[in-house]
């Protein structure tokens, strides 16, 4: 290579590194794995491109539907109804990556209704500590509700929050969508999740209470252990773990078996992708929300197909209330959130494959998590009889790990007749599980 050609090449490289090269080219260069281009790393970008290209069709269907709704009822009702149903389904054939509203404007406290206002008490690039402030309510136990970082937003716990608000001052971990977080903000793994819980509890002041739902039970227990060992001033007064995978070696479910059926490299190569260049988090590695949603839907595909057929029939017949109920459900269900790649891979490996916590091998920032250090607090575990995601015994295992908790401060409840979601939502939660949780918190406050 001549000196002149080397200078030209150097100039081209400098232009690329300085950002002159097209964004898509940088995307392709990032997607190279071991010097070999991976098409699997491009499917999130392809999906986003498809959604962008088809957006005008959905917008057109939505506009046409608005005009069609102006047609007087009774005028060619059957034809208009069927056309409305078709346009409605077309306009809804998309996903949203924005968090839905919690929509909790008021709640009953004792025998009176009080207003509820959402306010961000503390925030990081990856999550907000969201406070549901009640206007004029008496002082109540401060509680951190730890939501899963999964394919859906924390708003899935809307009903749980509303129930807890009756007797508690409730805060929730409102996780942000990684596709909206620039790469410069760094990684987010299991240690970062645990750090967030410690920081959030610190914002609540002394003797807060912590309730973890499902997946974050491991991090919640780790945070409690770290805080107790360090005598943190905001160590929780109580820790409640609900349907959480503390020890998935006990009666493994299909979910547990799938996690162990393949090496961790398979999950990295087949499920991890790059955030599309159209997004603020461009090129961040994630487990895409739409891939998770596909897995959820495929587990009950016939049910979801039937629901959309029913939706079309309700719209065609003018049954607005029935149609609205289905639309409300799918507005939430199709609001998807990506997972940071590091968090997902470390969770699969450390929790579901290697079972580090129950074996006493889980580390936090290079130091062992000592569950025996959990003391001077109440510990409650809750499981569902028919839970096919986190089976009976997996959450109860926390009781055996926390040997420092006095016997009179331990509570375990197995709720008969409920599956995974019934542990923290629905009638059994409201009428049977919540009263036990409420009394447990108040006794240990």
């Amino acid at each position: 290579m001549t000196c002149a050609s080397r200078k030209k090449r150097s100039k081209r490289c400098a232009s690329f590194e300085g950002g002159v090269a097209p964004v898509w080219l940088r995307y392709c260069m990032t997607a190279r794995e071991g010097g070999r281009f991976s098409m699997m790393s491009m499917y999130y970008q392809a999906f986003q491109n498809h959604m962008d290209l088809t957006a005008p069709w959905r917008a057109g269907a939505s506009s046409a539907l608005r005009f069609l709704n102006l047609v007087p009822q009774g005028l060619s009702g059957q034809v208009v109804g069927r056309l409305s149903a078709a346009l409605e389904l077309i306009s809804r054939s998309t996903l949203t990556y924005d968090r839905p509203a919690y929509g909790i404007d008021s709640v009953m406290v004792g025998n009176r209704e009080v207003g509820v206002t959402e306010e961000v008490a503390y925030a990081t690039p990856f999550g907000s500590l969201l406070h549901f402030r009640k206007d004029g309510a008496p002082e109540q136990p401060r509680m951190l509700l730890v939501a899963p970082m999964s394919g859906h937003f924390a708003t899935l716990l809307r009903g749980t929050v509303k129930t807890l608000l009756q007797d508690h001052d409730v805060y929730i971990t409102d996780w942000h969508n990684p596709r909206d977080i620039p790469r410069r903000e760094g990684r987010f793994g299991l240690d970062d999740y645990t750090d967030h819980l410690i920081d959030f509890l610190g914002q609540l002041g002394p003797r807060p209470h912590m309730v973890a739902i499902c997946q974050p039970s491991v991090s919640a227990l780790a945070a409690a252990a770290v805080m107790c060992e360090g005598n943190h001033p905001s160590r929780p007064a109580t820790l409640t773990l609900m349907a959480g995978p503390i020890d998935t070696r006990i009666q493994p479910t299909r979910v547990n078996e799938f996690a162990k059926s393949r090496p961790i490299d398979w999950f990295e190569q087949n499920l991890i992708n790059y955030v599309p260049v159209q997004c603020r988090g461009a090129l961040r590695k994630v487990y895409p929300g739409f891939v998770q949603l596909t897995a959820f839907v495929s587990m009950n595909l016939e049910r979801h197909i039937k629901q959309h057929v029913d939706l079309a029939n309700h719209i065609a017949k003018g049954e607005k209330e029935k149609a609205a109920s289905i639309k409300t459900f799918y507005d939430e269900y199709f609001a998807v959130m990506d997972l940071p790649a590091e968090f997902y891979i470390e969770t699969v490996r450390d929790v579901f494959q290697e079972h580090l916590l129950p074996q006493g091998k889980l580390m936090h920032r290079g130091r062992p998590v000592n569950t025996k250090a959990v003391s001077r607090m109440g510990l409650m575990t809750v499981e569902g009889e028919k839970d096919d995601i986190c089976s009976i015994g997996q959450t109860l295992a926390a009781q055996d790990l926390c040997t420092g908790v006095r016997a009179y401060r331990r509570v375990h409840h197995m709720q008969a007749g409920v599956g995974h979601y019934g542990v923290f939502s629905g009638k059994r939660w409201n009428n049977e599980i919540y009263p036990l949780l409420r009394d447990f918190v108040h006794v240990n406050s």
Side-chain angles (χ1 to χ4, degrees):
M1 182 182 291
T2 66
C3 290
S5 62
R6 277 198 296 269
K7 288 180 180 178
K8 289 180 180 178
R9 181 179 183 276
S10 178
K11 190 174 182 179
R12 286 197 302 270
C13 290
S15 296
F16 179 86
E17 292 169 359
V20 175
V23 176
W24 65 265
L25 182 57
R26 277 184 278 157
Y27 184 97
C28 293
M29 294 297 290
T30 305
R32 293 180 67 87
E33 298 177 354
R36 179 172 58 85
F37 185 76
S38 171
M39 291 304 295
M40 285 298 293
S41 61
M42 297 290 289
Y43 62 72
Y44 194 176
Q45 181 68 61
F47 175 80
Q48 186 64 51
N49 291 345
H50 169 74
M51 298 306 291
D52 290 346
L53 287 170
T54 55
W57 292 92
R58 291 188 295 276
S62 182
S63 297
L65 184 60
R66 285 196 296 272
F67 284 111
L68 197 62
N69 288 335
L70 298 176
V71 175
Q73 292 187 0
L75 182 63
S76 302
Q78 189 173 9
V79 174
V80 171
R82 289 178 179 176
L83 183 56
S84 295
L87 292 172
E88 180 79 48
L89 293 183
I90 293 171
S91 67
R92 297 177 63 82
S93 61
T94 186
L95 304 178
T96 177
Y97 293 94
D98 298 322
R99 174 176 71 74
Y102 283 93
I104 303 175
D105 300 319
S106 63
V107 65
M108 292 298 296
V109 176
N111 59 357
R112 67 189 183 94
E113 186 175 27
V114 299
V116 176
T117 303
E118 295 177 25
E119 56 185 17
V120 176
Y122 177 74
T124 75
F126 291 93
S128 296
L129 176 62
L130 190 64
H131 181 208
F132 296 90
R133 179 173 56 82
K134 290 178 288 191
D135 303 327
E139 184 176 353
Q140 295 175 317
R142 283 162 283 110
M143 176 178 288
L144 175 63
L145 179 60
V146 186
M149 180 176 274
S150 64
H152 289 98
F153 293 90
T155 49
L156 276 184
L157 299 182
R158 182 184 295 106
T160 313
V161 171
K162 193 159 188 177
T163 300
L164 290 171
L165 276 171
Q166 299 172 78
D167 305 284
H168 307 88
D169 186 10
V170 180
Y171 297 73
I172 193 171
T173 57
D174 198 37
W175 303 113
H176 301 165
N177 198 335
R179 78 183 242 134
D180 298 324
I181 305 172
R183 287 180 68 200
R184 65 176 177 271
E185 301 295 349
R187 72 191 304 277
F188 188 94
L190 265 179
D191 280 355
D192 301 286
Y193 193 108
T194 302
D195 286 341
H196 273 66
L197 299 189
I198 295 172
D199 291 343
F200 286 172
L201 286 168
Q203 297 296 317
L204 268 63
R207 296 189 61 77
H209 302 266
M210 180 161 55
V211 176
I213 305 292
C214 187
Q215 168 216 78
S217 292
V218 171
S219 287
L221 182 52
V226 170
M227 296 176 82
C228 286
E229 192 166 39
N231 199 27
H232 195 290
S234 293
R235 55 192 287 169
T238 66
L239 172 63
T240 302
L241 307 177
M242 306 186 72
I246 298 299
D247 190 349
T248 59
R249 295 173 299 178
I250 301 170
Q251 299 190 64
T253 64
R254 285 197 306 167
V255 174
N256 305 150
E257 290 170 351
F258 173 75
K260 298 193 71 171
S261 66
R262 293 169 172 81
I264 198 66
D265 289 347
W266 182 91
F267 291 91
E268 292 186 84
Q269 294 167 8
N270 291 275
L271 299 181
I272 301 303
N273 222 254
Y274 292 93
V275 172
V277 297
Q278 297 97 316
C279 308
R280 281 179 291 171
L283 307 184
R284 177 180 289 279
K285 294 180 74 173
V286 297
Y287 177 24
F290 82 92
V291 177
Q292 300 171 66
L293 180 65
T294 301
F296 295 151
V297 170
S298 65
M299 293 175 67
N300 293 284
L301 184 59
E302 290 184 5
R303 176 179 176 273
H304 292 295
I305 292 175
K306 182 180 182 301
Q307 283 284 80
H308 281 82
V309 171
D310 290 344
L311 174 60
N313 289 333
H314 293 324
I315 294 172
K317 296 176 182 177
E319 299 171 340
K320 294 182 179 180
E321 289 187 7
K322 293 180 179 179
S325 176
I326 296 176
K327 287 194 287 185
T328 298
F329 172 82
Y330 281 102
D331 284 345
E332 184 83 42
Y333 198 70
F334 288 159
V336 296
M337 174 178 161
D338 299 338
L339 265 68
E342 307 87 8
F343 175 77
Y344 175 71
I345 292 299
E346 290 171 15
T347 298
V348 172
R349 183 192 65 207
D350 297 353
V351 177
F352 294 98
Q353 291 190 349
E354 299 183 6
H355 317 287
L356 296 185
L357 180 64
Q359 297 186 75
K361 298 178 181 179
L362 184 67
M363 307 290 285
H364 175 259
R365 299 300 178 196
R367 298 182 60 183
V369 172
N370 180 18
T371 55
K372 295 179 181 178
V374 176
S375 61
R376 290 184 290 162
M377 59 179 287
L379 176 64
M380 181 176 186
T381 49
V382 184
E383 298 179 327
E385 178 190 17
K386 299 181 179 179
D387 193 336
D388 58 354
I389 294 177
C390 189
S391 60
I392 291 178
Q394 293 188 4
T395 310
L396 175 62
Q399 300 282 359
D400 295 328
L401 295 175
C402 299
T403 55
V405 179
R406 298 290 182 89
Y408 65 87
R409 288 191 167 185
R410 297 170 179 266
V411 174
H412 176 70
H413 177 67
M414 191 282 292
Q415 179 61 50
V418 302
H420 187 71
Y421 294 99
V423 171
F424 51 87
S425 65
K427 292 182 179 179
R428 298 280 179 87
W429 149 250
N430 286 323
N431 299 330
E432 299 181 44
I433 300 173
Y434 173 67
L436 297 176
L437 171 58
R438 177 195 59 211
D439 294 346
F440 167 73
V441 167
H442 283 248
V443 164
N444 287 279
S445 292

